[in-house]
């Protein structure tokens, strides 16, 4: 199912009112620059196709393409949505397309990597083509292709990365490899153009719970992370066990049902009360919810639409009580993280909240109260840019491209057994040393050094 978001239609209708930009002129001027594009930025000799985030010695102000001329296609396939978008360097969204695997999710109650991969393979060509068509462009007009290379499911990441290489190879386009969580963070700088580094970000999605201090582009300190499950996973499982309609994913279904319930009726305990740090844990809350559901004889096989009124009230009470505690955990951690962040960067003025769960109105309202108490401002991208989307990837690509971090165009033909650079486990930043706690994640296996350490190493090489 191909669906554009409400943001898209708003963007498109706005675009229709504007005079058509002279894209061909703008972009051809970029492409016919006397020097080939990969020499416009100072780069290491013999750049390798797999070496992501090459650092240039040029500053942002020295980049050659003006913001209007720069047009980037973003491709996102890290989890269950196949998404693509075309964004201009000035932040104008030319198109946004998302093909959701909601039907698969509803049928299987979670993401099965092999099936998700197949769904991406089926959708990817059409999604990318549609993004180009809606932007009134062809791939020839692009300045670069940005693609999520991690973290995520490797089978799924590979589909997007392969498509990006195919397109970039055929049209001689540079590639920007994007960190999915950095893209969730940076998209706030597209919607809030005044947002400058340093700022804090709480990234809450199905697979991640991260509290970070964003010091600069590509430079992040991790203040906290989940030691087990992410909050979105807890929403999804609660929704499944309560027999809710999962076609829009579990989060929105719980948010809606919670409005009918009494949030004080079930006494769930708040996670990690004894750990005075900024880490998260949702596995214990999930267990509490499961036990509460069992003890009230709620049968997930009976969909909520067929539940009698007493049964519906019981389910709504659990949804509301779960949501209150799940979000209270976020509130407590954010409050502490603001204090920590101020020790490192006293000038902090903003907390960005992004990732799928950030589209929840209750989450936004509660976190707004926290930040107001601390005299800082909340920045939440619109819901269609909080859940996985291609715009955030294109925008992260634009931010890195502008400072010269990209790979040269790959060859038009790659061998069948070419090893694409995908990074399923890829930390965003280094852990805040003073914030290290005993509550450690068991999932410590790292495939790649963090994005921040790669960028710092490349800056030191200069
Ligand atoms: O960022 P995202 O689209 O994909 C990942 O990177 O995981 O986040 C998806 C998660 C799912 O767990 C979904 O249930 C949750 O975001 N979500 C919500 C809401 N909308 C999406 N959770 C709570 N309330 C919502 N309104
Ligand atoms: Zn995400």
């Amino acid at each position: 199912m191909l669906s554009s978001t409400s943001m898209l239609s708003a963007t498109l209708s706005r675009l229709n009112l504007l005079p058509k930009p002279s894209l061909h002129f703008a972009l051809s001027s970029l492409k016919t620059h006397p020097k080939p594009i990969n020499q416009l930025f100072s780069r290491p000799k013999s750049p390798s196709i797999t070496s992501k985030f090459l650092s240039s010695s040029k500053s942002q102000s020295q980049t050659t393409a003006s913001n209007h001329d720069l047009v980037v296609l973003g491709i996102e396939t890290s989890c269950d949505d196949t998404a693509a978008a075309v964004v201009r360097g000035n932040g104008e969204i030319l198109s946004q397309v998302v093909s959701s695997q909601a039907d698969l999710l509803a049928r299987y109650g979670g993401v099965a990597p092999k099936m998700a991969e197949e769904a991406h393979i089926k959708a990817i060509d059409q999604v990318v083509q549609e993004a180009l068509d809606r932007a009134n462009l062809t791939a020839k007009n692009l300045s670069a292709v940005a693609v999520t290379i991690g973290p995520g499911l490797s089978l799924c990441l590979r589909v997007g990365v392969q498509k990006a290489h195919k397109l970039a190879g055929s049209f001689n386009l540079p590639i920007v490899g994007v960190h999915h969580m950095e893209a969730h963070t940076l998209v706030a700088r597209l919607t809030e153009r005044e947002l400058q580094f340093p700022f804090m970000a709480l990234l809450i999605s199905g697979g991640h719970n991260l509290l970070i201090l964003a010091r600069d582009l590509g430079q992040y300190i991790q203040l906290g992370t989940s030691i087990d499950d992410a909050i979105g996973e807890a929403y999804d499982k609660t929704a499944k066990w309560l027999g809710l309609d999962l076609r829009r994913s579990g989060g929105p279904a719980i948010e809606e049902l919670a409005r009918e319930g009494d949030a004080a009726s079930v006494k769930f305990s708040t996670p990690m009360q004894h750990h005075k740090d900024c880490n998260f844990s949702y596995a214990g809350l999930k267990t509490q919810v499961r036990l509460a559901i069992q003890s009230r004889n709620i049968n997930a096989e009976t969909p909520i639409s067929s539940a009698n009124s007493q049964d519906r009230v019981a389910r709504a009470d659990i949804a509301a009580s779960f949501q209150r505690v799940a979000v209270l955990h976020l509130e407590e951690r954010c409050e502490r993280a603001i204090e920590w962040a101020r020790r490192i960067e006293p000038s902090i003025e903003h907390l960005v909240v992004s990732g799928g769960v950030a589209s929840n109105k209750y989450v936004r309202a509660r976190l707004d109260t926290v930040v107001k108490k601390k005299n800082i401002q909340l920045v939440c991208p619109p819901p269609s840019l909080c859940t996985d989307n291609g715009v955030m990837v294109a925008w992260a690509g634009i931010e890195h491209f502008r400072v010269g971090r990209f790979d040269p165009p790959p060859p038009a033909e790659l061998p069948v057994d070419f090893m694409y650079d995908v990074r399923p486990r890829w930390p965003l930043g280094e852990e805040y040393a003073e914030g290290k706690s005993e509550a450690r994640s068991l999932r410590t296996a790292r495939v790649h050094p963090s994005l921040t350490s790669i960028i710092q190493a490349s800056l030191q090489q200069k």
Side-chain angles (χ1 to χ4, degrees):
M1 175 190 69
L2 277 180
S3 69
S4 57
T5 61
S6 51
M7 175 89 182
L8 168 65
S9 44
T11 310
L12 282 182
S13 50
R14 190 159 54 82
L15 275 180
N16 289 339
L17 299 174
L18 296 171
K20 281 263 176 295
S22 165
L23 272 175
H24 182 71
F25 170 76
L27 292 162
S28 55
S29 71
L30 174 68
K31 287 205 176 155
T32 56
H33 195 279
K35 290 178 184 173
I37 193 159
N38 62 356
Q39 287 171 25
L40 294 176
F41 302 89
S42 92
R43 4 170 81 283
K45 288 186 188 114
S46 321
S48 123
I49 194 166
T50 51
S51 62
K52 298 290 169 195
F53 294 109
L54 300 175
S55 175
S56 98
S57 58
K58 305 256 178 185
S59 75
Q60 201 153 327
S61 58
Q62 287 173 289
T63 53
T64 46
S66 85
N67 280 338
H68 183 275
D69 296 349
L70 190 60
V71 181
V72 172
L73 167 74
I75 300 177
E76 159 61 41
T77 61
S78 68
C79 189
D80 56 341
D81 287 328
T82 318
V86 180
V87 180
R88 228 186 254 288
N90 63 7
E92 194 180 345
I93 299 169
L94 299 181
S95 65
Q96 182 181 4
V97 180
V98 180
S99 166
S100 124
Q101 297 182 14
D103 291 347
L104 281 181
L105 267 183
R107 219 177 313 149
Y108 300 103
V111 183
K114 196 69 198 146
M115 270 181 280
E117 179 199 22
E118 278 167 23
H120 283 304
I121 292 171
K122 257 194 217 150
I124 190 75
D125 287 343
Q126 204 188 340
V127 166
V128 168
Q129 194 53 52
E130 187 130 359
L132 290 169
D133 291 349
R134 288 185 190 185
N136 280 328
L137 296 175
T138 71
K140 271 202 304 240
N141 303 125
L142 296 170
S143 318
V145 180
V147 61
T148 304
I149 60 170
L153 299 167
S154 63
L155 287 177
C156 298
L157 288 165
R158 198 175 306 278
V159 178
V161 172
Q162 210 163 352
K163 176 70 187 177
H165 276 76
K166 213 164 120 194
L167 211 60
S170 312
F171 294 90
N172 200 33
L173 300 167
I175 297 188
V176 191
V178 169
H179 191 294
H180 182 80
M181 302 314 288
E182 187 186 36
H184 272 305
T185 310
L186 293 178
V187 76
R189 280 163 50 84
L190 181 155
T191 57
E192 197 65 51
R193 302 313 290 276
E194 302 304 306
L195 181 64
Q196 302 287 337
F197 294 106
F199 59 87
M200 292 177 65
L202 170 70
L203 307 172
I204 37 181
S205 66
H208 298 270
N209 239 85
L210 270 181
L211 254 168
I212 56 164
L213 172 59
R215 305 191 84 174
D216 206 342
L217 183 64
Q219 308 221 14
Y220 305 95
I221 295 179
Q222 182 182 297
L223 303 169
T225 186
S226 179
I227 60 163
D228 42 53
D229 297 323
I231 184 170
E233 154 73 14
Y235 265 95
D236 291 338
K237 282 291 167 351
T238 302
K240 182 180 169 194
W241 296 331
L242 289 175
L244 308 191
D245 182 352
L246 299 178
R247 275 173 299 178
R248 284 179 308 144
S249 82
I254 292 284
E255 181 180 10
E256 210 173 295
L257 184 64
R259 290 197 198 107
E260 298 172 25
D262 174 2
S265 60
V266 189
K267 305 278 179 261
F268 295 129
S269 56
T270 316
M272 298 188 82
Q273 292 286 288
H274 302 297
H275 293 280
K276 305 292 178 206
D277 58 28
C278 297
N279 285 331
F280 302 89
S281 165
Y282 282 97
L285 180 58
K286 263 169 59 182
T287 306
Q288 292 183 64
V289 168
R290 192 164 44 77
L291 295 174
I293 290 171
Q294 277 169 6
S295 72
R296 285 162 181 76
N297 292 323
I298 292 167
N299 182 3
E301 303 295 315
T302 309
I304 183 99
S305 50
S306 317
N308 63 35
S309 65
Q310 197 189 353
D311 187 1
R312 188 176 178 97
V313 169
R315 295 187 202 209
D317 283 349
I318 291 178
S321 303
F322 155 75
Q323 178 163 261
R324 188 183 73 80
V325 173
V327 178
L328 185 60
H329 188 30
L330 298 180
E331 293 167 46
E332 289 181 354
R333 289 356 230 185
C334 282
E335 205 164 328
R336 181 172 294 121
I338 293 169
E339 283 159 25
W340 285 13
R342 279 194 168 138
R343 280 187 222 154
I344 313 167
E345 296 275 8
S347 64
I348 292 288
E349 282 178 7
H350 297 95
L351 172 69
V352 167
V353 184
S354 186
V357 183
S359 40
N360 182 303
K361 290 200 180 74
Y362 177 80
V363 170
R364 289 173 178 227
R366 297 296 307 184
L367 291 173
D368 197 40
T369 313
V370 171
V371 300
K372 282 206 171 104
K373 248 194 323 197
K374 296 276 180 193
N375 259 334
I376 65 173
Q377 278 179 41
L378 197 68
V379 179
C380 293
S384 66
L385 297 182
C386 279
T387 48
D388 288 352
N389 63 85
V391 172
M392 66 182 198
V393 179
W395 181 252
I398 285 168
E399 291 230 30
H400 281 284
F401 187 82
R402 278 202 294 233
V403 295
R405 292 189 196 121
F406 58 83
D407 280 348
E413 292 293 328
L414 286 170
V416 198
D417 58 352
F418 183 77
M419 293 286 286
Y420 292 97
D421 180 17
V422 293
R423 307 174 178 187
R425 295 249 164 121
W426 189 19
L428 182 57
E430 295 300 311
E431 211 174 335
Y432 177 47
E434 285 175 47
K436 286 199 173 156
S437 77
E438 295 129 43
R440 311 290 306 158
S441 169
L442 295 177
R443 291 181 283 171
T444 49
R446 277 189 177 189
V447 176
H448 289 281
S450 74
L451 171 71
T452 301
S453 65
I454 295 171
I455 289 191
Q456 274 168 355
S458 73
L459 290 174
Q460 274 158 16
Q461 272 175 12
K462 284 197 293 183

